[in-house]
Amino acid sequence: MIPLPQPAEPLFKLLIKGIDVSSELAPQLISCTYTDHVHGKADEIEVEVHDKDGWWRGPWCPEHGDKAQLWIGYKPALLVPAGSFELDEPSAKISRSGDTFSMRGVSAPITRSLRTRRTRGYENQSLRQIAQKIASEHGLTVVGNPPDVQFERRDQRRERDLEFLSRSAEEFGAYFTVKGNQLVFSRRDEVHGRASVLTIEVSDPNLITADLKKGSHRTYSRARASYYEGNQRRHINVEVQDQSVRNGDTLRIDERSENEGQARQRARSSLQRENLKKLTGNLVFVGNPYLLAGQNIALGQTFGKWAGKYVIKQSRHHITRSGYTTNIEVNGV
């Protein structure tokens, strides 16, 4: 169980190039926002301040690519690290109603090589080997568990390297994100199988709002994929089932696989991904720095048909001078 915050004053700490600028930012703060993603996007920070005297658009203005570190929490001693970021897109706004300055940062390195679209093929390599090759080209490291899949040939088609790895992880049952200099893979089954860090009831004093939906799209009980067998090029179909869905449609996977193992992995991943859309929600809490993407929460019986276990796919921590809220987007698992 993660601790819930008691009434206290919100606090953030921001270092830019190793220098703590929190005391300069705090008196002029408009907002400090940290957004954490479980898959497909780098984490982000955005800080906006009043700039009446022009210091932030002048000598204090950070440069593109400057390193920053952020912590969020409460006074006097609860600070949780949000991570390391590279600053991008500093912005100054001049207005009769008041001048402002904002800066944005992302957890992925901001380099031309990572932003370059590439077309190339990888032969006789596993996804882990492909990820390690890409990581070595950019001075990064691979952590976690990429899907255990081997390719005769895997094509990258006019994609940025991180987009290609994200697509590959998604196709074969994993989450992928970037944290600083790490390419992070987490197998979906392992993430969803973790214990819930928090159980919430409708009466929870820290819950501000909950917007819950049951998807109107199809529910799938099985998925069908195909591959060609050996030199005969004989077309073979395979099916996998979702035992939690009693009555549902069959999801057909168009992409051809190289062998039965690949086909089953692809089918299982696609079925799981589609059925994650059955139950979704957006919940807003009194700020809790421990609620992060990739964690599981449980909605108690007072949530009725929406009671159950959910994975946090995105968390957004928003601090202003008047308060701190945490907004999470969830999928039922």
Side-chain angles (χ1 to χ4, degrees):
M1 176 71 69
I2 59 176
L4 292 175
Q6 299 301 314
E9 184 179 350
L11 177 68
F12 73 95
K13 178 180 178 181
L14 181 68
L15 271 60
I16 299 178
K17 295 198 297 186
I19 300 172
D20 189 347
V21 298
S22 310
S23 60
E24 285 77 17
L25 288 169
Q28 306 301 325
L29 182 70
I30 297 173
S31 65
C32 174
T33 304
Y34 163 55
T35 306
D36 179 35
H37 302 276
V38 72
H39 176 74
K41 295 181 180 179
D43 298 343
E44 304 162 285
I45 58 170
E46 186 168 2
V47 179
E48 185 178 12
V49 294
H50 295 289
D51 193 26
K52 177 182 177 181
D53 298 321
W55 288 106
W56 284 102
R57 68 174 181 266
W60 292 356
C61 182
E63 298 296 330
H64 175 91
D66 281 352
K67 302 292 191 297
Q69 292 84 41
L70 177 69
W71 292 257
I72 54 174
Y74 289 90
K75 291 182 178 179
L78 175 60
L79 275 177
V80 176
S84 298
F85 304 84
E86 290 196 13
L87 296 181
D88 191 15
E89 299 179 4
S91 175
K93 182 177 180 180
I94 314 300
S95 170
R96 290 183 178 180
S97 60
D99 300 346
T100 60
F101 175 83
S102 64
M103 50 187 157
R104 175 179 174 272
V106 293
S107 61
I110 303 169
T111 64
R112 178 173 296 180
S113 61
L114 274 174
R115 292 183 172 184
T116 300
R117 296 184 183 276
R118 305 178 190 275
T119 297
R120 54 181 171 175
Y122 303 86
E123 295 187 347
N124 299 315
Q125 295 184 59
S126 66
L127 182 52
R128 176 178 288 276
Q129 289 172 322
I130 294 171
Q132 288 172 335
K133 174 178 172 56
I134 290 174
S136 66
E137 292 173 349
H138 302 289
L140 308 175
T141 57
V142 175
V143 300
N145 295 309
D148 185 14
V149 57
Q150 182 80 24
F151 300 102
E152 294 177 16
R153 181 177 175 86
R154 180 68 170 169
D155 289 321
Q156 181 174 351
R157 305 183 293 265
R158 289 191 54 78
E159 297 167 284
R160 297 180 178 93
D161 287 342
L162 300 184
E163 292 172 345
F164 169 64
L165 291 176
S166 178
R167 174 172 67 87
S168 298
E170 186 173 56
E171 283 185 23
F172 292 97
Y175 292 122
F176 170 79
T177 188
V178 184
K179 306 282 188 182
N181 65 349
Q182 296 181 329
L183 306 180
V184 183
F185 290 86
S186 305
R187 296 189 186 181
R188 234 184 267 138
D189 286 339
E190 293 178 0
V191 173
H192 299 173
R194 296 171 187 161
S196 297
V197 298
L198 183 67
T199 298
I200 306 151
E201 297 292 351
V202 168
S203 60
D204 193 311
N206 291 288
L207 177 65
I208 299 172
T209 64
D211 183 8
L212 307 169
K213 294 180 181 180
K214 281 195 172 186
S216 60
H217 79 300
R218 292 179 177 178
T219 299
Y220 297 97
S221 60
R222 64 189 66 208
R224 180 179 299 156
S226 61
Y227 68 98
Y228 286 103
E229 184 179 50
N231 295 328
Q232 300 177 18
R233 309 304 290 172
R234 187 161 62 95
H235 184 262
I236 299 177
N237 289 320
V238 299
E239 274 193 1
V240 299
Q241 291 185 321
D242 185 339
Q243 299 296 335
S244 67
V245 179
R246 294 182 179 179
N247 298 302
D249 296 322
T250 298
L251 177 66
R252 289 174 171 80
I253 315 302
D254 293 331
E255 295 88 348
R256 294 287 183 265
S257 299
E258 296 174 338
N259 53 56
E260 182 180 357
Q262 256 189 41
R264 288 191 179 279
Q265 278 184 276
R266 179 175 267 136
R268 189 177 297 110
S269 177
S270 297
L271 181 61
Q272 183 183 56
R273 194 169 67 244
E274 285 299 316
N275 284 343
L276 279 172
K277 301 174 185 177
K278 288 187 299 183
L279 295 174
T280 62
N282 188 299
L283 296 91
V284 181
F285 294 89
V286 173
N288 190 327
Y290 293 104
L291 284 176
L292 300 172
Q295 294 175 332
N296 296 319
I297 64 167
L299 301 186
Q301 294 304 309
T302 53
F303 282 89
K305 296 292 186 180
W306 280 271
K309 188 177 183 181
Y310 292 76
V311 63
I312 301 174
K313 70 174 186 178
Q314 176 185 295
S315 67
R316 182 176 180 269
H317 299 263
H318 187 64
I319 296 175
T320 67
R321 296 184 70 183
S322 60
Y324 170 19
T325 58
T326 299
N327 181 311
I328 62 172
E329 294 182 17
V330 298
N331 290 105
V333 296

